Every structure is written in C-alpha cells, then in structure tokens.
C-alpha cells in the first residue's frame, strides 16, 4: 500500500488539457455595434436588441475579431479553413438571454497549431487543437437589495463581447507546464495585440481538464474540469490539488465522476460545481442568421505578414544575436516595457554592448519600477548616457544607480544630475596619489598589518581613500595604486 504521504506522481501520471477563453481587443462587440468599453460603466448601458437577445434582432460579424483569431492562429502555426461557419450552442442560463451562444463547432478559425515554452525541465511544445470565435455571456451580480433580500441581478454590458477559445490536446503532464503554457499564451496574445489577457480582470480565463492514469498505462482516466482560477499561481495550485485529490480517490479504490469543479483560493481546494455536460447536451446546429464566412487567401496572407516579432523569436534573437543569457532574454521578453527600453537604449548608442544594457534594465530599471508607487519613466537616451558614463569610468556604478533613480523620478537629464551632484569620478592619478599619501600617513596600524601579511588590510586602506575622495575616485584604480605604493615601500626594505 502506498503511504498517503508519498508523491501521487510516483504512482499516477497526470493528463492535462487546457481551455482558455480570452476577450478580444475590439472597439465594438462580436455581433452588434455596442461598445466593449464597459469597465466601470453603469450596468446595462452598453446594450442593444442584438446583445440583449430580443426577438427579431439580427447579428452582423465583427471583422476585427475574426482578424484577431486568424492572427493568433498564424502565430501558433495553425491552419485556417477556406470557409467557416457559425453554430448555435444551446443552453439555458440567466446570463444568456437568447438561450444560445453563437460559437464555432465544426469549423474553427484555427486548427492544429502549437506553442513552445520554457519550463524548469527544458522547452516543452503543446499541440493546440483549435482556436475559435464566440460571444461572451452577461454577468450575474449577486447581492442584497435595500429591503435586505438576497437578489441576483444581470448586467448585460459584457453580453456579446468577442471571445476566443483556445483548446490544447491532453498533452500536458504537470501543473508547472500548465502554468507556463498559460503564461506564454498570455504573452503571445498581448504581443499580437489580440487581447489584454489580464487574468485578474477576467479577460483571460483558464480552465484545466485533469485526469490520472496509472504510470505505464495508455487509456485516459475520467477527467475533471477545474475553473475559477484568477492567477497563474492559482492554475498551478489548483491542478496540484486536483492531482492529489484524484489520487486519493483512486487509491481508496473509488471511481471519479466527470464533473466541473471550482477553485477556492481561500480554502486552497477545488469543490464540485456541476456534473459535466457533454456536447450532445448543447444540440449544436448551424446559425441560420449568419452566412458562412469565406476567408480570402490574400486577407490571410496580409494578416500573417503583419504579425510582429513573436516572443519566442525575440528570445532567440536576444540569446543568439545579442549574447544575452536565457534568463535575461526571458525576463526582458516577458516584460514589454523592459524590452522596449532595452531595445531603445541599444538604439540610442550603438557603441553599447547588449549585455551591460540588459543588466541595467533587468537589475536596475525593473527594481526601480517594481518598488515605485507611481509609474516611472526612463528615457532610453538617458539610460544610454548613464551606462556609457559608468563604462568609461567617468562615474561610479553606485552613482550611476542614483542618477538613474533621480532621472526616473524627476525626469532630469543624466548629465545635469551628474554635474549637480558632483559625481564626476576622479580618474586623475595625481589627485588619487595625494589622497593615498595622506591615508597611509594617517593609518600606520593598517599599513603595519598589511606588511605583516594581513592582506585584508588593503580593503580598509582603499575604503579610507574612497572616503577621502568622497567616493568619486575610481575604486579599481585606487586598489591598484595602493598595492603598488605599498609594494614599492617593501622593495626599499624600509
Ligand atoms: P468539452 O468541449 O466538453 O470541454 P473537449 O473534448 O473539447 O471537451 O476537451 C476539453 C479539454 O479536455 C481539451 O483540452 C482536451 O485536451 C482535454 N481532455 C480531453 N480528455 C481528457 C482527459 N481524459 N484528461 C485530461 N484532459 C482531457
Ligand atoms: Mg470545455
Ligand atoms: Zn449590442
């Protein structure tokens, strides 16, 4: 008998498929002209007969939404059909006024793509079964009315907003792979401008289908769909919880049932929501109010040609052409502001090497930005000036950091801050020599220690010289000069 404390993944292999819904970035809704800019708008102010599902209202297709899905399809190397069709997915729920959702069943806009992402165990590629276009539902708001009664209200502002659903094959095996897939997909969708894909704001909703099978066996086990994860961390935690829960059920000799479970962030566990519907329950049939959509190859070609550099290609370029470490390349590409600053700084001074610029952006800019309560702005040409000044020794690295911090908060130029603060570093040999003479005369104890073989004493002496020059001496030069000076004394046999 396996002990309950043993890792369930020793006995079982997890089989995971991910479904992502993301809201597309369009000005108007999927099948009507209502604005999608409803965040914070009073309830039910972004509605019309179409998105309220009133009888007789007719849908029209939002071309921009179709373009976003086709662009996403091209970015994941999927295939687009010659023509697509719309299908009605029928079910009853108060947030769905028509009693059906217009979706795509048999002919999605994108089929058989793939996405590669990094994991702690190396790169992993997952097949993407399909990406299709559909419409979002309204939002139910549960609360208490002025008389103290529990009420559920419906806000139709979101009803009919364009939604893309992206489904993977059940090829994912760990919670970490699932989280990394979702992160890479978010980055990709943002990079092509298809979606803001903010999980906390519900613009990107991740559902995980999880089942277990005994290691070494082929057939899939019964799957459970987990939803309501509001962050990447929650995706990973929910899947890990579900793997352990299912393993315990199987170990007890019981069977799992196909169901939909929700993730409770507070309790750190999944809970039953409903027994899963099957596609038969939805009675899909072709949408009679919309014609099939023919996809002109020239249109597809233009969309593909218009794709920007994708995250994976950018990481490869940073590593292979610019010589960055995989870590720096990933960090920069994952953060569009940082990547932009990095590229613009390199562009501002083409004598700068990519590596030190990446270090300043990753090490200093990101630290400043993440610590700041207000948005910080660093102008690329000013960062270039700072990196240059530190590199050619005219200011110290520590001062460079302070100049960057002040530039970021006040917007003042780097040269003006350097001058105002008197940061110009002393590289002038005579001034440094004079300071060294003074310090050696004042610190006979440390000098004697050094002569007695205590090499650490040099650090103290260099520190005193740096103090005497108010930190403006070049530390490397001082270190060398102090050693030379003491070695010369020793040579005289004094
Ligand atoms: P539905 O439309 O009912 O949600 P799909 O067949 O489209 O079902 O599958 C949804 C997701 O579940 C896909 O990502 C798929 O890879 C995944 N999946 C299918 N079977 C299993 C299984 N046995 N275990 C884990 N995931 C699975
Ligand atoms: Mg599903
Ligand atoms: Zn509308």
């Amino acid at each position: 008998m396996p002990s309950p404390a043993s890792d369930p993944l020793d006995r079982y292999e997890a089989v995971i498929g991910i479904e992502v819904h993301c809201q597309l970035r369009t000005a108007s809704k999927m099948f009507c002209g209502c604005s999608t800019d409803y965040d914070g708008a009073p309830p039910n102010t972004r509605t019309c007969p179409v998105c309220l599902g009133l009888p007789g209202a007719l849908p029209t297709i939002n071309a921009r939404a179709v373009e976003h899905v086709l662009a996403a399809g091209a970015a994941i190397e999927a295939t687009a059909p010659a023509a697509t069709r719309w299908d009605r997915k029928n079910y009853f729920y108060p947030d769905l006024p028509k009693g059906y959702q217009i979706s795509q069943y048999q002919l999605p806009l994108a089929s058989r793509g793939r996405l590669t992402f990094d994991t702690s165990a190396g790169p992993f590629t997952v097949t993407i079964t399909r990406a299709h276009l559909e419409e979002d539902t309204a939002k139910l708001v549960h609360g208490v009315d002025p008389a103290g009664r529990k009420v559920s209200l419906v806000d139709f502002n979101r009803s009919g907003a364009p939604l893309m659903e992206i489904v993977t094959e059940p090829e994912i095996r760990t919670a970490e792979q699932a989280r990394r897939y979702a992160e890479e997909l978010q980055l990709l969708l943002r990079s092509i401008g298809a979606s803001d894909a903010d999980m906390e704001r519900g613009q990107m909703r991740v559902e995980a289908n999880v089942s277990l099978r005994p290691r070494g066996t082929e057939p899939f086990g019964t799957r459970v769909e987990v939803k309501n994860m509001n962050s990447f961390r929650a995706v990973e935690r929910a899947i890990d919880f579900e793997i352990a829960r299912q393993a315990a059920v199987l170990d007890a000799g019981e069977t799992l049932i196909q169901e939909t479970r929700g993730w409770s962030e507070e309790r750190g566990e999944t809970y039953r929501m409903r027994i899963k519907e099957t596609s038969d329950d939805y009675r899909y049939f072709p949408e009679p109010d919309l014609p099939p959509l023919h996809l002109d190859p020239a249109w597809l070609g233009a969309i593909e040609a218009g794709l920007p550099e994708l995250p994976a290609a950018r990481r490869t370029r940073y590593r292979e052409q610019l010589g960055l470490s995989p870590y720096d390349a990933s960090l920069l590409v994952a953060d569009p502001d940082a990547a932009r600053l990095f590229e613009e700084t390199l562009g501002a001074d083409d004598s700068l090497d990519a590596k030190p610029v990446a270090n300043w952006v990753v090490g200093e800019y990101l630290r400043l930005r993440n610590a700041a309560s207000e948005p910080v702005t660093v102008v690329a040409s000013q960062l270039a000036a700072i990196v240059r000044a530190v590199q050619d020794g005219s200011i110290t690295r520590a001062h460079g950091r302070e100049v960057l911090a002040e530039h970021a908060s006040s917007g003042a130029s780097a040269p003006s801050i350097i001058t105002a603060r008197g940061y110009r570093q002393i590289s002038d040999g005579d001034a440094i020599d004079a300071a060294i003479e003074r310090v050696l005369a004042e610190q006979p104890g440390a000098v004697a220690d050094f002569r007695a073989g205590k090499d650490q004493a040099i650090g103290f002496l260099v520190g005193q010289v740096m103090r005497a020059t108010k930190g403006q001496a070049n530390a490397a030069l001082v270190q060398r000069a102090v050693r030379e000076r003491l070695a010369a004394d020793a040579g005289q046999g004094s």
Side-chain angles (χ1 to χ4, degrees):
M1 268 303 275
S3 81
S6 74
D7 187 345
L9 292 177
D10 292 343
R11 282 160 279 140
Y12 300 104
E13 180 176 53
V15 172
I16 302 164
I18 302 289
E19 292 169 88
V20 169
H21 285 87
C22 70
Q23 286 186 335
L24 296 171
R25 205 150 89 184
T26 57
S28 59
K29 291 186 182 178
M30 188 60 231
F31 298 114
C32 63
C34 291
S35 170
T36 52
D37 186 15
Y38 52 75
D39 236 13
N44 298 309
T45 53
R46 303 287 189 273
T47 59
C48 74
V50 173
C51 57
L52 286 172
L54 299 186
L58 287 174
T60 50
I61 301 167
N62 182 331
R64 194 82 192 93
V66 175
E67 272 173 3
H68 281 320
V69 179
L70 292 173
I76 57 170
E77 301 165 76
T79 310
T84 186
R85 164 185 113 187
W86 305 91
D87 296 289
R88 283 190 182 180
K89 181 179 181 176
N90 300 278
Y91 67 98
F92 175 76
Y93 206 63
D95 64 6
L96 190 67
K98 297 196 295 292
Y100 61 84
Q101 178 188 33
I102 304 178
S103 182
Q104 298 189 290
Y105 188 49
Q106 271 156 2
L107 289 169
L109 281 169
S111 305
R112 299 295 300 175
R114 62 200 157 117
L115 189 65
T116 299
F117 47 91
D118 286 322
T119 73
S120 59
F124 189 83
T125 300
V126 66
T127 309
I128 294 175
T129 317
R130 55 187 281 146
H132 73 248
L133 191 47
E134 59 189 32
E135 54 179 337
D136 211 342
T137 58
K139 201 171 183 158
L140 294 182
V141 184
H142 305 285
V144 178
D145 76 3
R149 284 172 304 216
K150 275 189 167 180
V151 289
S152 290
L153 303 170
V154 194
D155 177 4
F156 288 94
N157 282 351
R158 193 181 70 180
S159 174
L163 212 53
M164 170 164 60
E165 177 173 341
I166 305 156
V167 182
T168 76
E169 287 294 297
E171 294 171 346
I172 293 170
R173 295 289 174 265
T174 68
E176 186 210 348
Q177 287 169 356
R179 172 177 58 83
R180 287 291 305 118
Y181 164 73
E183 287 173 345
E184 185 69 16
L185 185 64
Q186 179 191 60
L187 194 58
L188 185 80
L189 296 176
R190 287 179 172 175
S191 77
I192 64 173
S195 175
D196 293 332
D198 189 330
M199 282 186 79
E200 267 139 50
R201 296 173 64 193
Q203 295 163 331
M204 175 169 167
R205 306 165 212 156
V206 178
E207 285 154 32
N209 293 268
V210 183
S211 67
L212 297 186
R213 61 182 172 191
R215 285 212 172 265
T217 66
E218 275 293 315
F220 288 161
T222 301
R223 77 172 197 261
V224 166
E225 184 170 322
V226 186
K227 54 205 314 176
N228 293 352
M229 293 90 86
N230 290 326
S231 66
F232 294 115
R233 203 175 108 75
V235 169
E236 190 164 357
R237 286 179 71 206
I239 294 173
D240 274 332
F241 175 88
E242 193 53 29
I243 290 171
R245 186 190 72 83
Q246 292 185 18
V249 171
L250 296 175
D251 281 346
E254 291 162 17
T255 52
L256 288 154
I257 50 169
Q258 191 170 329
E259 61 180 331
T260 300
R261 297 177 70 89
W263 167 248
S264 164
E265 187 69 35
E266 303 72 46
R267 286 177 292 154
E269 58 187 39
T270 63
Y271 58 90
R272 171 169 302 168
M273 291 175 80
R274 58 177 176 267
I275 306 297
K276 180 83 182 121
E277 308 83 356
T278 67
S279 56
D280 296 346
D281 296 331
Y282 293 126
R283 294 164 5 261
Y284 279 99
F285 65 85
E287 166 61 58
D289 290 339
L290 287 169
L293 185 66
H294 293 273
L295 303 176
D296 178 359
W299 189 35
L300 289 172
I303 289 169
E304 192 168 347
L307 286 178
E309 182 181 40
L310 300 177
R314 180 171 288 208
R315 277 192 296 263
T316 305
R317 179 167 64 85
Y318 283 5
R319 284 196 312 263
E320 293 179 0
Q321 288 174 32
L322 301 178
L324 300 192
S325 68
Y327 178 78
D328 283 349
S330 295
L331 266 182
L332 286 174
V333 173
D335 193 311
D337 285 337
R340 196 175 320 113
L341 180 61
F342 168 69
E343 302 229 357
E344 287 177 5
T345 303
L346 277 183
D349 179 348
D350 54 19
S351 70
L352 288 176
D353 281 335
K355 259 185 152 131
V357 173
N359 287 342
W360 277 87
V361 172
V362 169
E364 299 304 324
Y365 166 73
L366 285 182
R367 193 178 50 78
L368 270 178
R369 193 199 63 191
N370 296 342
S373 45
E374 311 272 286
V376 305
T377 310
V378 170
V379 176
S381 59
Q382 300 306 314
L383 177 58
I386 294 168
V387 178
R388 171 92 283 148
V390 171
Q391 243 172 30
D392 66 20
S394 57
I395 61 171
T396 64
R397 176 169 300 275
H399 283 164
R401 286 194 200 105
E402 288 173 23
V403 175
L404 180 64
E406 183 174 334
H407 165 68
S409 61
S410 75
S413 79
S416 72
I417 299 167
I418 291 170
T419 307
R421 295 197 175 193
Y423 279 169
R424 198 83 45 200
Q425 182 167 251
I426 305 172
S427 304
D428 158 7
D430 288 347
I432 293 176
D433 286 347
I436 291 174
E437 290 310 324
R438 240 182 6 258
V439 167
L440 294 187
E442 284 164 16
Q443 305 290 345
V447 172
D449 283 350
F450 179 78
R451 297 231 166 92
K454 286 190 190 153
D455 200 56
Q456 315 90 285
I458 198 92
F460 172 76
L461 291 168
V462 170
Q464 293 299 309
V465 176
M466 293 303 289
R467 246 181 78 177
T469 55
K470 300 192 173 63
Q472 289 169 41
N474 181 318
L477 279 183
V478 171
Q479 165 91 259
R480 194 159 4 111
V482 172
R483 278 190 188 280
E484 275 167 11
R485 173 70 176 66
L486 291 170
D489 275 2
Q492 285 161 12
S494 61

